[in-house]
Each structure stands twice: as structure tokens, then as C-alpha cells.
């Protein structure tokens, strides 16, 4: 089932809802606001028809790269196409801005996120050993875009991801 959502640029007033959606452990309201105000930040939110915020994505646009800092869907609205719609907004922006790479780090155990990125054509470029505070490895994933046509350039994984299907 696909949830009908509208994707909008993140607005000033969204920080509290974004922080609430993320739970207490990730980005608090001040942190979301700080990210939203950086000149190089591009961020979008997903809203239900009722106006309720059900997801967000925050990216940094630096030269010809778009770096995805986080993408999240409300826990009760997952697997209904929200994450895909948000990432599509970010990738569409990258195409319009003629970026060559969309980059991100993801926990090795985060099969839902890795599945989402795979669906867009991201490949595994490297491993950052014990990148997270709890010592879990990060997988660096990249989507290559042709800056002229905006089409995805397919690329095989450069590292093996054994163990990522475990959760
Ligand atoms: C990762 C996350 C954003 C996905 O959002 P979502 O709204 O549930 O994703 P979608 O419904 O748009 O799924 C799109 C595709 O991603 C993949 N995917 C999503 N959830 C998946 C899961 N649990 N297992 C495997 N693949 C999954 C599938 O390919 C899916 O397409 P399909 O449903 O047609 O098979 C969501 O699980 C989330 O918020 N997780 C917590 C925050 C997080 O870990 N963010 C990533 C930080 S790097």
C-alpha cells in the first residue's frame, strides 16, 4: 500500500515535528534547526493529507555532491513509499543541480535503509570501521549520476557486504 504524501521543502516551523518523529536519541529540535539553517542544507518533509509530518530527509549540497545526512519515516508509516518519495525528491534535486554523486553512510545492520538505497541504484563504496559511537561499522554508499543527462550510472559494489542482511 502506498501512502498519499506531499513532499515539501523543510520549513522553519517543521523542526519540532521532525525532532519528535526521530525520537529522543537522534536529532533534537535545536540540532534540526541548526542543520536547516546552514546555507548548503537542502531538506524535505513528507506530509499526509491531514498535514501531519510523516518523514524527512536532510542533505548537504557541496560542489557536485549531495550528502544525505539522514532520512527517516515515522515508525507507523514505514513500508508505504514515504522513504522512497523523500529520497526521490533529494535525487531529483541532485539531478537538477547536476551533481555527480549522492553519498551517505549507513549502519551495516540497517537492512531497511540499505534496501531503500539499493532500490535507487546506490552501490557500496567502502566501509568505515567502528564509525558509530557504539562501534558499529558504517557502509559508505554512493549513487553515481551523469551530470549531463541525470541518469544513474550503474556501478558494482567495491566492498563485500556480508552480514548486512542479518536484521
Ligand atoms: C529506512 C527508512 C527511511 C525507509 O523508509 P520507508 O518509508 O519505510 O521506505 P519505503 O516504504 O519507501 O521503501 C522503499 C524501498 O526501500 C526498501 N525497504 C524499505 N524498508 C525495507 C525493509 N524493512 N527491508 C528491506 N527493504 C526495505 C524496499 O526496496 C522498499 O521498496 P518496496 O516496499 O517496494 O519493496 C525507514 O525504515 C526508517 O525511517 N528507518 C529508521 C531511520 C533510518 O534508519 N534511516 C536511515 C539512516 S542512514
Amino acid at each position: 500500500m502506498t501512502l498519499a504524501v506531499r513532499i515539501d521543502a523543510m520549513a522553519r516551523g517543521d523542526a519540532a515535528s521532525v525532532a519528535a518523529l526521530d525520537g529522543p536519541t537522534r536529532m533534537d529540535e535545536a540540532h534540526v534547526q541548526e542543520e536547516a539553517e546552514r546555507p548548503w542544507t537542502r531538506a524535505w518533509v513528507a506530509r499526509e493529507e491531514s498535514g501531519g509530518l510523516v518523514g524527512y530527509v536532510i542533505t548537504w549540497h557541496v560542489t557536485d555532491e549531495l550528502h544525505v545526512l539522514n532520512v527517516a519515516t515515522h515508525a507507523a508509516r514505514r513500508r508505504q513509499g514515504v522513504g522512497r518519495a523523500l529520497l526521490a525528491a533529494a535525487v531529483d534535486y541532485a539531478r537538477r543541480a547536476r551533481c555527480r554523486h549522492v553519498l551517505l553512510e549507513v549502519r551495516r545492520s540497517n537492512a531497511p535503509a540499505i534496501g531503500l538505497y539499493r532500490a535507487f541504484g546506490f552501490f557500496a563504496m567502502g566501509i568505515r570501521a567502528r564509525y558509530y559511537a557504539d562501534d558499529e561499522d558504517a557502509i559508505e554508499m554512493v549513487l553515481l549520476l551523469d551530470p549531463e543527462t541525470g541518469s544513474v550510472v550503474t556501478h558494482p559494489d567495491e566492498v563485500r557486504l556480508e552480514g548486512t542482511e542479518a536484521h
Side-chain angles (χ1 to χ4, degrees), residues 58-124:
I58 298 180
T59 71
W60 283 0
H61 180 185
V62 182
T63 64
D64 62 355
E65 296 182 351
L66 194 72
H67 195 128
V68 178
L69 300 191
N70 200 14
V71 52
T73 298
H74 188 292
R77 298 287 185 277
R78 288 188 189 153
R79 216 63 202 263
Q80 296 174 59
V82 175
R84 188 190 295 275
L86 285 161
L87 198 57
V91 171
D92 283 350
Y93 170 84
R95 287 195 170 102
R96 288 196 306 277
R98 296 184 177 250
C99 292
R100 289 176 185 275
H101 311 109
V102 184
L103 309 170
L104 53 86
E105 286 92 27
V106 58
R107 283 178 181 267
R108 190 190 269 281
S109 66
N110 195 343
I114 292 170
L116 173 65
Y117 305 140
R118 289 275 192 220
F120 277 79
F122 281 78
F123 70 94

Side-chain angles (χ1 to χ4, degrees), residues 134-155:
D134 61 2
D135 276 358
E136 184 168 351
D137 295 346
I139 316 267
E140 296 174 306
M141 297 189 79
V142 179
L143 182 71
L144 289 181
L145 295 174
D146 180 323
E148 298 307 318
T149 64
S151 54
V152 173
V153 181
T154 55
H155 193 289

Side-chain angles (χ1 to χ4, degrees), residues 18-47:
V18 167
L21 180 145
D22 224 1
T25 54
R26 288 196 60 111
M27 296 171 82
D28 63 20
E29 183 177 345
H31 187 184
V32 174
Q33 196 61 53
E34 187 186 333
E35 289 298 345
E37 286 173 2
R38 295 187 204 282
W40 52 86
T41 293
R42 304 290 178 273
W44 295 267
V45 294
R47 297 185 210 282

